[in-house]
């Protein structure tokens, strides 16, 4: 019997039908594909999918396709048998930490902020205000700029509309300059930030890609200004980002896909 023919199916059961339509190799689905996978009426799938987007369980791209959202991903990291981003990234972060003895962190996009998923810190590294689980501004942090550069253009518009607060004299607050910088970051895949979020704190970050070439995270190193030349750190950070990306299934021939924005 098809799911539509099963009497008394609850709303929660149908929501789970939509969520469980996503799986390895089927991580980005159109509304039509969701309808076929669930066996539910098209109108019902559309309503349920949009409710899940509003709740943060799904993200909707500009082309109308859906992917698993960060809030559902955060819940999935609690599963003991899951292999979340931080599990894949941690060995490579430990290598960077051992080699550089600086803060090493990885962040994901959530709304108009970057959320720190994991951070490794050295005892003598520069003091920073943000900890694991904290939020960094997209316009002035290394990991934030990488995520913003690779998100949908609407996200940059939303960030500019919210304002570009200057937390230090070096913070880029001019929308035109920020957009030009984001274009350069998309081209190179990396961002170097000098004292924009906190005085005397520099960082370099790079993108992390999934199997489909979408930017799903940013890996970065944070250093005290004047102690480390970011140009010497950059190759190691890029290598780390590529290693994490390959651990998530990315291959060179896939290339890089500009991601969708998940913003309020």
């Amino acid at each position: 019997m098809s799911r539509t023919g099963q009497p008394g199916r609850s709303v929660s059961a149908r929501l789970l039908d939509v969520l469980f339509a996503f799986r390895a190799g089927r991580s980005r689905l159109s509304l039509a594909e969701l309808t076929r996978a669930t066996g539910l009426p098209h109108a019902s799938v559309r309503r349920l999918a949009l409710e899940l987007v509003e709740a943060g369980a799904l993200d909707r791209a500009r082309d109308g396709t859906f992917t698993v959202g960060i809030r559902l991903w955060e819940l999935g990291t609690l599963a003991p048998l899951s292999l979340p981003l931080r599990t894949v990234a941690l060995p490579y972060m430990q290598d960077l930490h051992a080699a550089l003895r600086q803060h090493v962190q990885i962040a994901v996009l959530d709304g108009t902020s970057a959320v720190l998923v994991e951070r490794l810190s050295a005892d003598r590294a520069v003091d920073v205000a943000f900890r694991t689980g904290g939020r960094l501004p997209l316009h002035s942090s290394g990991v934030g700029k990488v995520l913003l550069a690779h998100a949908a253009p609407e996200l940059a518009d939303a960030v500019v509309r919210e304002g570009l607060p200057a937390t230090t004299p070096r913070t880029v607050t001019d929308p035109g300059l920020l957009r030009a910088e984001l274009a350069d970051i998309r081209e190179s895949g990396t961002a170097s930030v000098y004292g924009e979020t906190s005085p005397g704190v520099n960082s370099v970050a790079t993108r992390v890609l999934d199997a489909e070439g979408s930017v799903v995270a940013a890996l970065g190193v944070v250093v005290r200004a004047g102690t480390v030349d970011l140009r010497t750190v950059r190759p190691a950070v890029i290598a780390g980002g590529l290693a994490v990306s390959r651990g998530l299934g990315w291959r060179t021939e896939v290339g890089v896909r500009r991601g969708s924005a998940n913003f309020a």
Side-chain angles (χ1 to χ4, degrees), residues 17-211:
D17 286 341
V18 174
L19 291 175
F20 291 155
F22 296 89
R23 61 190 64 179
R26 202 166 72 180
S27 61
R28 183 180 296 274
L29 298 173
S30 66
L31 193 58
E33 290 169 333
L34 278 173
T35 300
R36 287 194 296 270
T38 60
L40 297 169
H42 182 275
S44 296
V45 172
R46 184 178 186 279
R47 175 176 55 79
L48 293 169
L50 292 179
E51 288 180 2
L52 289 167
V53 169
E54 185 176 358
L58 293 181
D59 286 339
R60 191 180 190 187
R62 296 179 68 201
D63 61 3
T65 58
F66 296 87
T67 56
V68 172
I70 186 172
R71 297 195 184 280
L72 190 62
W73 174 85
E74 288 173 334
L75 182 63
T77 65
L78 303 178
L81 298 181
S82 67
L83 189 64
L85 170 66
R86 65 181 300 276
T87 303
V88 175
L90 196 55
Y92 305 107
M93 294 178 66
Q94 290 170 334
D95 289 345
L96 278 172
H97 182 259
L100 303 175
R101 307 308 300 174
Q102 302 289 342
H103 298 295
V104 180
Q105 60 191 25
I106 193 162
V108 297
L109 182 67
D110 184 29
T112 53
S113 301
V115 177
L116 289 181
V117 175
E118 183 61 88
R119 165 178 279 163
L120 301 179
S121 298
D123 292 338
R124 297 183 180 179
V126 61
D127 187 37
V128 289
F130 302 96
R131 299 291 185 267
T132 302
R135 292 176 177 267
L136 286 165
L138 294 180
H139 73 290
S140 62
S141 64
V143 290
K145 289 191 180 191
V146 168
L147 293 170
L148 183 58
H150 292 87
E154 290 87 350
L155 181 57
D157 294 339
V159 169
V160 169
R161 283 197 304 270
E162 286 188 358
L164 303 174
T167 53
T168 80
R170 303 186 67 119
T171 305
V172 175
T173 58
D174 180 89
L177 291 177
L178 177 62
R179 293 182 193 278
E181 186 178 3
L182 296 178
D184 291 339
I185 293 169
R186 276 193 299 276
E187 182 69 23
S188 67
T190 63
S192 296
V193 173
Y194 296 88
E196 290 191 45
T197 301
S198 301
V201 179
N202 298 341
S203 66
V204 59
T206 191
R207 59 197 174 199
V208 173
L209 305 129
D210 65 7

